[in-house]
Amino acid sequence: RLADMVAQSSFLVAGERISLALEVGIASAPDDGIDTDTLIARADARLYQARTNGRRPDRPAQPGDARSQPQST
Protein backbone atom coordinates (compact mmCIF):
# COMPACT_ATOMS: atom_id res chain seq x y z
CA ARG A 1 0.00 0.00 0.00
CA LEU A 2 1.18 3.46 -0.87
CA ALA A 3 0.53 4.93 2.59
CA ASP A 4 2.62 2.17 4.20
CA MET A 5 5.46 2.73 1.75
CA VAL A 6 5.47 6.46 2.45
CA ALA A 7 5.30 5.93 6.22
CA GLN A 8 8.31 3.60 6.07
CA SER A 9 10.34 6.13 4.09
CA SER A 10 12.48 8.84 5.57
CA PHE A 11 14.90 11.33 4.11
CA LEU A 12 17.98 13.06 5.37
CA VAL A 13 17.76 16.82 4.72
CA ALA A 14 20.47 19.15 6.01
CA GLY A 15 21.42 16.55 8.62
CA GLU A 16 17.83 16.13 9.86
CA ARG A 17 15.78 12.94 9.40
CA ILE A 18 12.41 13.75 7.78
CA SER A 19 9.50 11.27 7.86
CA LEU A 20 6.36 11.56 5.79
CA ALA A 21 2.72 10.58 6.19
CA LEU A 22 0.06 10.28 3.51
CA GLU A 23 -3.66 10.86 3.89
CA VAL A 24 -6.11 10.80 1.01
CA GLY A 25 -9.85 11.38 0.76
CA ILE A 26 -11.43 9.62 -2.20
CA ALA A 27 -14.72 10.32 -3.98
CA SER A 28 -15.88 8.92 -7.30
CA ALA A 29 -18.42 10.00 -9.88
CA PRO A 30 -21.26 9.37 -10.27
CA ASP A 31 -21.83 7.66 -6.90
CA ASP A 32 -20.55 10.61 -4.87
CA GLY A 33 -21.71 13.36 -7.21
CA ILE A 34 -21.04 14.64 -10.69
CA ASP A 35 -19.88 18.20 -10.16
CA THR A 36 -16.44 19.22 -8.96
CA ASP A 37 -17.59 20.99 -5.80
CA THR A 38 -19.59 17.98 -4.58
CA LEU A 39 -16.80 15.51 -5.34
CA ILE A 40 -14.23 17.65 -3.52
CA ALA A 41 -16.58 18.05 -0.55
CA ARG A 42 -17.14 14.27 -0.36
CA ALA A 43 -13.41 13.56 -0.63
CA ASP A 44 -12.77 16.10 2.12
CA ALA A 45 -15.44 14.46 4.30
CA ARG A 46 -13.83 11.06 3.83
CA LEU A 47 -10.39 12.45 4.67
CA TYR A 48 -11.79 14.03 7.83
CA GLN A 49 -13.51 10.76 8.73
CA ALA A 50 -10.29 8.79 8.23
CA ARG A 51 -8.50 11.19 10.54
CA THR A 52 -11.13 10.84 13.27
CA ASN A 53 -11.10 7.03 12.96
CA GLY A 54 -7.51 6.68 14.08
CA ARG A 55 -5.96 7.11 10.65
CA ARG A 56 -7.90 4.30 8.99
CA PRO A 57 -7.96 5.53 5.39
CA ASP A 58 -9.19 2.16 4.18
CA ARG A 59 -12.55 2.67 5.92
CA PRO A 60 -14.93 4.71 3.74
CA ALA A 61 -17.24 7.25 5.31
CA GLN A 62 -20.59 5.71 6.17
CA PRO A 63 -24.02 7.33 6.06
CA GLY A 64 -24.57 9.11 9.35
CA ASP A 65 -20.84 9.54 10.05
CA ALA A 66 -19.73 12.99 11.01
CA ARG A 67 -19.27 15.04 7.86
CA SER A 68 -20.22 12.15 5.59
CA GLN A 69 -22.25 14.62 3.57
CA PRO A 70 -20.82 17.80 2.07
CA GLN A 71 -21.38 20.95 4.10
CA SER A 72 -23.12 23.89 2.48
CA THR A 73 -21.21 27.15 2.41
Side-chain angles (χ1 to χ4, degrees):
R1 297 177 16 157
L2 182 58
D4 292 335
M5 289 174 29
V6 169
Q8 294 172 5
S9 300
S10 64
F11 305 91
L12 193 60
V13 178
E16 297 288 325
R17 178 82 37 206
I18 305 294
S19 298
L20 303 175
L22 176 68
E23 298 174 359
V24 177
I26 298 174
S28 61
D31 293 338
D32 294 312
I34 56 171
D35 64 279
T36 303
D37 290 337
T38 301
L39 289 168
I40 290 172
R42 293 276 168 83
D44 180 59
R46 292 204 173 114
L47 175 59
Y48 176 83
Q49 188 63 41
R51 288 176 177 168
T52 60
N53 283 327
R55 310 267 189 232
R56 292 264 331 265
D58 57 329
R59 180 192 176 274
Q62 302 296 313
D65 283 349
R67 293 186 60 178
S68 64
Q69 300 297 317
Q71 305 295 311
S72 60
T73 56

mmCIF file of all heavy atoms in Angstrom, residues 25-61:
data_model
loop_
_atom_site.group_PDB
_atom_site.id
_atom_site.type_symbol
_atom_site.label_atom_id
_atom_site.label_comp_id
_atom_site.label_asym_id
_atom_site.label_seq_id
_atom_site.Cartn_x
_atom_site.Cartn_y
_atom_site.Cartn_z
ATOM 1 N N GLY A 25 -8.393 11.535 0.761
ATOM 2 C CA GLY A 25 -9.847 11.378 0.755
ATOM 3 C C GLY A 25 -10.274 11.072 -0.670
ATOM 4 O O GLY A 25 -9.844 11.755 -1.602
ATOM 5 N N ILE A 26 -11.074 10.055 -0.852
ATOM 6 C CA ILE A 26 -11.434 9.620 -2.202
ATOM 7 C C ILE A 26 -12.944 9.722 -2.405
ATOM 8 O O ILE A 26 -13.725 9.304 -1.555
ATOM 9 C CB ILE A 26 -10.981 8.171 -2.450
ATOM 10 C CG1 ILE A 26 -9.460 8.092 -2.337
ATOM 11 C CG2 ILE A 26 -11.470 7.670 -3.814
ATOM 12 C CD1 ILE A 26 -8.909 6.695 -2.418
ATOM 13 N N ALA A 27 -13.320 10.276 -3.539
ATOM 14 C CA ALA A 27 -14.717 10.317 -3.977
ATOM 15 C C ALA A 27 -14.730 9.939 -5.448
ATOM 16 O O ALA A 27 -13.759 10.198 -6.170
ATOM 17 C CB ALA A 27 -15.308 11.707 -3.775
ATOM 18 N N SER A 28 -15.808 9.319 -5.892
ATOM 19 C CA SER A 28 -15.880 8.920 -7.299
ATOM 20 C C SER A 28 -17.238 9.280 -7.889
ATOM 21 O O SER A 28 -18.264 9.200 -7.214
ATOM 22 C CB SER A 28 -15.619 7.421 -7.451
ATOM 23 O OG SER A 28 -16.599 6.688 -6.754
ATOM 24 N N ALA A 29 -17.196 9.681 -9.150
ATOM 25 C CA ALA A 29 -18.419 10.003 -9.879
ATOM 26 C C ALA A 29 -18.900 8.727 -10.560
ATOM 27 O O ALA A 29 -18.096 7.904 -10.953
ATOM 28 C CB ALA A 29 -18.138 11.081 -10.918
ATOM 29 N N PRO A 30 -20.159 8.501 -10.684
ATOM 30 C CA PRO A 30 -21.257 9.374 -10.274
ATOM 31 C C PRO A 30 -21.793 9.080 -8.871
ATOM 32 O O PRO A 30 -22.659 9.800 -8.386
ATOM 33 C CB PRO A 30 -22.329 9.082 -11.310
ATOM 34 C CG PRO A 30 -22.147 7.626 -11.623
ATOM 35 C CD PRO A 30 -20.644 7.389 -11.528
ATOM 36 N N ASP A 31 -21.274 8.058 -8.199
ATOM 37 C CA ASP A 31 -21.830 7.663 -6.902
ATOM 38 C C ASP A 31 -21.772 8.773 -5.861
ATOM 39 O O ASP A 31 -22.674 8.893 -5.038
ATOM 40 C CB ASP A 31 -21.111 6.427 -6.358
ATOM 41 C CG ASP A 31 -21.383 5.186 -7.190
ATOM 42 O OD1 ASP A 31 -22.405 5.161 -7.910
ATOM 43 O OD2 ASP A 31 -20.574 4.258 -7.133
ATOM 44 N N ASP A 32 -20.723 9.562 -5.874
ATOM 45 C CA ASP A 32 -20.546 10.606 -4.869
ATOM 46 C C ASP A 32 -20.925 11.985 -5.379
ATOM 47 O O ASP A 32 -20.829 12.963 -4.639
ATOM 48 C CB ASP A 32 -19.092 10.623 -4.384
ATOM 49 C CG ASP A 32 -18.742 9.354 -3.632
ATOM 50 O OD1 ASP A 32 -19.525 8.971 -2.747
ATOM 51 O OD2 ASP A 32 -17.708 8.740 -3.931
ATOM 52 N N GLY A 33 -21.333 12.085 -6.613
ATOM 53 C CA GLY A 33 -21.711 13.360 -7.213
ATOM 54 C C GLY A 33 -21.129 13.453 -8.601
ATOM 55 O O GLY A 33 -20.318 12.620 -9.008
ATOM 56 N N ILE A 34 -21.564 14.482 -9.329
ATOM 57 C CA ILE A 34 -21.037 14.641 -10.688
ATOM 58 C C ILE A 34 -20.329 15.973 -10.886
ATOM 59 O O ILE A 34 -19.567 16.119 -11.819
ATOM 60 C CB ILE A 34 -22.138 14.463 -11.751
ATOM 61 C CG1 ILE A 34 -23.295 15.427 -11.506
ATOM 62 C CG2 ILE A 34 -22.629 13.038 -11.792
ATOM 63 C CD1 ILE A 34 -24.308 15.472 -12.629
ATOM 64 N N ASP A 35 -20.555 16.918 -9.984
ATOM 65 C CA ASP A 35 -19.881 18.204 -10.158
ATOM 66 C C ASP A 35 -18.654 18.279 -9.248
ATOM 67 O O ASP A 35 -18.548 17.596 -8.238
ATOM 68 C CB ASP A 35 -20.838 19.364 -9.878
ATOM 69 C CG ASP A 35 -21.301 19.385 -8.443
ATOM 70 O OD1 ASP A 35 -22.229 18.612 -8.101
ATOM 71 O OD2 ASP A 35 -20.719 20.151 -7.655
ATOM 72 N N THR A 36 -17.721 19.109 -9.651
ATOM 73 C CA THR A 36 -16.437 19.218 -8.961
ATOM 74 C C THR A 36 -16.596 19.577 -7.492
ATOM 75 O O THR A 36 -15.954 18.966 -6.626
ATOM 76 C CB THR A 36 -15.553 20.268 -9.663
ATOM 77 O OG1 THR A 36 -15.399 19.891 -11.025
ATOM 78 C CG2 THR A 36 -14.186 20.369 -9.015
ATOM 79 N N ASP A 37 -17.434 20.549 -7.190
ATOM 80 C CA ASP A 37 -17.590 20.985 -5.797
ATOM 81 C C ASP A 37 -18.094 19.857 -4.902
ATOM 82 O O ASP A 37 -17.605 19.670 -3.785
ATOM 83 C CB ASP A 37 -18.535 22.183 -5.700
ATOM 84 C CG ASP A 37 -17.932 23.449 -6.288
ATOM 85 O OD1 ASP A 37 -16.692 23.540 -6.370
ATOM 86 O OD2 ASP A 37 -18.709 24.348 -6.665
ATOM 87 N N THR A 38 -19.053 19.093 -5.370
ATOM 88 C CA THR A 38 -19.589 17.983 -4.579
ATOM 89 C C THR A 38 -18.546 16.893 -4.393
ATOM 90 O O THR A 38 -18.376 16.359 -3.288
ATOM 91 C CB THR A 38 -20.849 17.400 -5.245
ATOM 92 O OG1 THR A 38 -21.829 18.435 -5.364
ATOM 93 C CG2 THR A 38 -21.423 16.249 -4.439
ATOM 94 N N LEU A 39 -17.822 16.553 -5.448
ATOM 95 C CA LEU A 39 -16.798 15.514 -5.342
ATOM 96 C C LEU A 39 -15.679 15.928 -4.382
ATOM 97 O O LEU A 39 -15.232 15.114 -3.561
ATOM 98 C CB LEU A 39 -16.226 15.185 -6.719
ATOM 99 C CG LEU A 39 -17.183 14.433 -7.647
ATOM 100 C CD1 LEU A 39 -16.653 14.422 -9.070
ATOM 101 C CD2 LEU A 39 -17.441 13.027 -7.139
ATOM 102 N N ILE A 40 -15.260 17.176 -4.446
ATOM 103 C CA ILE A 40 -14.234 17.651 -3.519
ATOM 104 C C ILE A 40 -14.752 17.640 -2.092
ATOM 105 O O ILE A 40 -14.049 17.230 -1.165
ATOM 106 C CB ILE A 40 -13.734 19.053 -3.925
ATOM 107 C CG1 ILE A 40 -12.924 18.941 -5.220
ATOM 108 C CG2 ILE A 40 -12.899 19.692 -2.810
ATOM 109 C CD1 ILE A 40 -12.539 20.272 -5.826
ATOM 110 N N ALA A 41 -15.988 18.055 -1.891
ATOM 111 C CA ALA A 41 -16.580 18.050 -0.547
ATOM 112 C C ALA A 41 -16.666 16.631 0.007
ATOM 113 O O ALA A 41 -16.371 16.391 1.186
ATOM 114 C CB ALA A 41 -17.963 18.700 -0.577
ATOM 115 N N ARG A 42 -17.058 15.667 -0.818
ATOM 116 C CA ARG A 42 -17.144 14.273 -0.358
ATOM 117 C C ARG A 42 -15.762 13.706 -0.052
ATOM 118 O O ARG A 42 -15.577 12.986 0.928
ATOM 119 C CB ARG A 42 -17.851 13.405 -1.390
ATOM 120 C CG ARG A 42 -19.313 13.746 -1.573
ATOM 121 C CD ARG A 42 -20.200 13.070 -0.539
ATOM 122 N NE ARG A 42 -21.545 13.583 -0.516
ATOM 123 C CZ ARG A 42 -22.532 13.221 -1.322
ATOM 124 N NH1 ARG A 42 -22.335 12.321 -2.237
ATOM 125 N NH2 ARG A 42 -23.726 13.770 -1.191
ATOM 126 N N ALA A 43 -14.777 14.020 -0.889
ATOM 127 C CA ALA A 43 -13.410 13.557 -0.630
ATOM 128 C C ALA A 43 -12.889 14.172 0.663
ATOM 129 O O ALA A 43 -12.257 13.491 1.472
ATOM 130 C CB ALA A 43 -12.503 13.903 -1.802
ATOM 131 N N ASP A 44 -13.177 15.440 0.887
ATOM 132 C CA ASP A 44 -12.768 16.101 2.123
ATOM 133 C C ASP A 44 -13.438 15.448 3.329
ATOM 134 O O ASP A 44 -12.801 15.224 4.358
ATOM 135 C CB ASP A 44 -13.115 17.586 2.060
ATOM 136 C CG ASP A 44 -12.711 18.318 3.324
ATOM 137 O OD1 ASP A 44 -11.510 18.311 3.660
ATOM 138 O OD2 ASP A 44 -13.606 18.893 3.984
ATOM 139 N N ALA A 45 -14.719 15.122 3.199
ATOM 140 C CA ALA A 45 -15.440 14.464 4.296
ATOM 141 C C ALA A 45 -14.820 13.108 4.616
ATOM 142 O O ALA A 45 -14.668 12.737 5.782
ATOM 143 C CB ALA A 45 -16.919 14.297 3.932
ATOM 144 N N ARG A 46 -14.438 12.376 3.598
ATOM 145 C CA ARG A 46 -13.826 11.059 3.826
ATOM 146 C C ARG A 46 -12.440 11.188 4.445
ATOM 147 O O ARG A 46 -12.063 10.381 5.292
ATOM 148 C CB ARG A 46 -13.793 10.278 2.531
ATOM 149 C CG ARG A 46 -15.220 9.915 2.122
ATOM 150 C CD ARG A 46 -15.287 8.721 1.242
ATOM 151 N NE ARG A 46 -16.680 8.380 1.047
ATOM 152 C CZ ARG A 46 -17.306 8.458 -0.124
ATOM 153 N NH1 ARG A 46 -16.656 8.834 -1.188
ATOM 154 N NH2 ARG A 46 -18.570 8.128 -0.210
ATOM 155 N N LEU A 47 -11.699 12.203 4.056
ATOM 156 C CA LEU A 47 -10.391 12.447 4.665
ATOM 157 C C LEU A 47 -10.562 12.794 6.132
ATOM 158 O O LEU A 47 -9.873 12.254 6.996
ATOM 159 C CB LEU A 47 -9.659 13.569 3.936
ATOM 160 C CG LEU A 47 -8.330 14.019 4.534
ATOM 161 C CD1 LEU A 47 -7.344 12.863 4.594
ATOM 162 C CD2 LEU A 47 -7.764 15.171 3.719
ATOM 163 N N TYR A 48 -11.506 13.665 6.443
ATOM 164 C CA TYR A 48 -11.789 14.032 7.831
ATOM 165 C C TYR A 48 -12.199 12.800 8.632
ATOM 166 O O TYR A 48 -11.741 12.586 9.746
ATOM 167 C CB TYR A 48 -12.896 15.087 7.870
ATOM 168 C CG TYR A 48 -13.312 15.456 9.263
ATOM 169 C CD1 TYR A 48 -12.589 16.397 9.995
ATOM 170 C CD2 TYR A 48 -14.422 14.861 9.847
ATOM 171 C CE1 TYR A 48 -12.971 16.744 11.279
ATOM 172 C CE2 TYR A 48 -14.804 15.199 11.136
ATOM 173 C CZ TYR A 48 -14.081 16.137 11.844
ATOM 174 O OH TYR A 48 -14.456 16.470 13.113
ATOM 175 N N GLN A 49 -13.047 11.965 8.043
ATOM 176 C CA GLN A 49 -13.509 10.756 8.728
ATOM 177 C C GLN A 49 -12.346 9.805 8.993
ATOM 178 O O GLN A 49 -12.242 9.220 10.065
ATOM 179 C CB GLN A 49 -14.592 10.048 7.911
ATOM 180 C CG GLN A 49 -15.250 8.915 8.650
ATOM 181 C CD GLN A 49 -15.978 9.379 9.883
ATOM 182 O OE1 GLN A 49 -16.634 10.410 9.869
ATOM 183 N NE2 GLN A 49 -15.880 8.645 10.959
ATOM 184 N N ALA A 50 -11.453 9.654 8.033
ATOM 185 C CA ALA A 50 -10.287 8.787 8.227
ATOM 186 C C ALA A 50 -9.432 9.307 9.373
ATOM 187 O O ALA A 50 -8.940 8.537 10.196
ATOM 188 C CB ALA A 50 -9.465 8.709 6.942
ATOM 189 N N ARG A 51 -9.288 10.603 9.459
ATOM 190 C CA ARG A 51 -8.497 11.192 10.544
ATOM 191 C C ARG A 51 -9.141 10.950 11.899
ATOM 192 O O ARG A 51 -8.448 10.684 12.879
ATOM 193 C CB ARG A 51 -8.342 12.692 10.329
ATOM 194 C CG ARG A 51 -7.416 13.036 9.208
ATOM 195 C CD ARG A 51 -7.376 14.514 8.987
ATOM 196 N NE ARG A 51 -6.419 14.844 7.948
ATOM 197 C CZ ARG A 51 -6.341 16.027 7.388
ATOM 198 N NH1 ARG A 51 -7.160 17.000 7.758
ATOM 199 N NH2 ARG A 51 -5.449 16.257 6.462
ATOM 200 N N THR A 52 -10.455 11.035 11.987
ATOM 201 C CA THR A 52 -11.131 10.840 13.272
ATOM 202 C C THR A 52 -11.266 9.371 13.643
ATOM 203 O O THR A 52 -11.561 9.054 14.784
ATOM 204 C CB THR A 52 -12.522 11.508 13.286
ATOM 205 O OG1 THR A 52 -13.335 10.942 12.275
ATOM 206 C CG2 THR A 52 -12.417 12.999 13.096
ATOM 207 N N ASN A 53 -11.029 8.470 12.691
ATOM 208 C CA ASN A 53 -11.102 7.027 12.956
ATOM 209 C C ASN A 53 -9.725 6.437 13.207
ATOM 210 O O ASN A 53 -9.477 5.291 12.886
ATOM 211 C CB ASN A 53 -11.766 6.293 11.788
ATOM 212 C CG ASN A 53 -13.248 6.461 11.799
ATOM 213 O OD1 ASN A 53 -13.856 6.565 12.852
ATOM 214 N ND2 ASN A 53 -13.840 6.515 10.625
ATOM 215 N N GLY A 54 -8.826 7.218 13.752
ATOM 216 C CA GLY A 54 -7.509 6.681 14.076
ATOM 217 C C GLY A 54 -6.672 6.385 12.861
ATOM 218 O O GLY A 54 -5.970 5.391 12.810
ATOM 219 N N ARG A 55 -6.782 7.240 11.862
ATOM 220 C CA ARG A 55 -5.960 7.105 10.653
ATOM 221 C C ARG A 55 -6.244 5.797 9.930
ATOM 222 O O ARG A 55 -5.353 5.058 9.564
ATOM 223 C CB ARG A 55 -4.476 7.209 10.982
ATOM 224 C CG ARG A 55 -4.119 8.407 11.816
ATOM 225 C CD ARG A 55 -3.732 9.534 10.927
ATOM 226 N NE ARG A 55 -3.187 10.648 11.707
ATOM 227 C CZ ARG A 55 -3.624 11.883 11.591
ATOM 228 N NH1 ARG A 55 -4.593 12.160 10.766
ATOM 229 N NH2 ARG A 55 -3.087 12.847 12.291
ATOM 230 N N ARG A 56 -7.508 5.502 9.734
ATOM 231 C CA ARG A 56 -7.904 4.298 8.995
ATOM 232 C C ARG A 56 -8.400 4.708 7.615
ATOM 233 O O ARG A 56 -9.602 4.727 7.367
ATOM 234 C CB ARG A 56 -9.018 3.553 9.730
ATOM 235 C CG ARG A 56 -8.651 2.923 11.034
ATOM 236 C CD ARG A 56 -8.280 1.450 10.940
ATOM 237 N NE ARG A 56 -8.907 0.698 9.889
ATOM 238 C CZ ARG A 56 -10.008 -0.030 10.013
ATOM 239 N NH1 ARG A 56 -10.651 -0.086 11.147
ATOM 240 N NH2 ARG A 56 -10.466 -0.708 8.991
ATOM 241 N N PRO A 57 -7.510 5.054 6.693
ATOM 242 C CA PRO A 57 -7.960 5.532 5.386
ATOM 243 C C PRO A 57 -8.665 4.480 4.546
ATOM 244 O O PRO A 57 -9.315 4.804 3.580
ATOM 245 C CB PRO A 57 -6.671 5.978 4.710
ATOM 246 C CG PRO A 57 -5.615 5.183 5.363
ATOM 247 C CD PRO A 57 -6.077 4.966 6.789
ATOM 248 N N ASP A 58 -8.549 3.212 4.951
ATOM 249 C CA ASP A 58 -9.189 2.159 4.184
ATOM 250 C C ASP A 58 -10.662 2.001 4.528
ATOM 251 O O ASP A 58 -11.364 1.237 3.901
ATOM 252 C CB ASP A 58 -8.461 0.832 4.393
ATOM 253 C CG ASP A 58 -8.385 0.430 5.864
ATOM 254 O OD1 ASP A 58 -8.333 1.328 6.727
ATOM 255 O OD2 ASP A 58 -8.348 -0.772 6.132
ATOM 256 N N ARG A 59 -11.140 2.750 5.526
ATOM 257 C CA ARG A 59 -12.549 2.670 5.918
ATOM 258 C C ARG A 59 -13.299 3.847 5.314
ATOM 259 O O ARG A 59 -13.082 4.985 5.675
ATOM 260 C CB ARG A 59 -12.693 2.730 7.433
ATOM 261 C CG ARG A 59 -14.140 2.655 7.876
ATOM 262 C CD ARG A 59 -14.260 3.006 9.352
ATOM 263 N NE ARG A 59 -15.638 3.026 9.769
ATOM 264 C CZ ARG A 59 -16.436 4.077 9.662
ATOM 265 N NH1 ARG A 59 -16.008 5.203 9.142
ATOM 266 N NH2 ARG A 59 -17.680 4.013 10.082
ATOM 267 N N PRO A 60 -14.186 3.601 4.340
ATOM 268 C CA PRO A 60 -14.927 4.708 3.736
ATOM 269 C C PRO A 60 -15.912 5.328 4.719
ATOM 270 O O PRO A 60 -16.368 4.670 5.652
ATOM 271 C CB PRO A 60 -15.659 4.064 2.566
ATOM 272 C CG PRO A 60 -15.628 2.610 2.813
ATOM 273 C CD PRO A 60 -14.500 2.318 3.761
ATOM 274 N N ALA A 61 -16.232 6.577 4.501
ATOM 275 C CA ALA A 61 -17.244 7.247 5.309
ATOM 276 C C ALA A 61 -18.571 6.522 5.127
ATOM 277 O O ALA A 61 -18.898 6.043 4.047
ATOM 278 C CB ALA A 61 -17.377 8.703 4.892
#
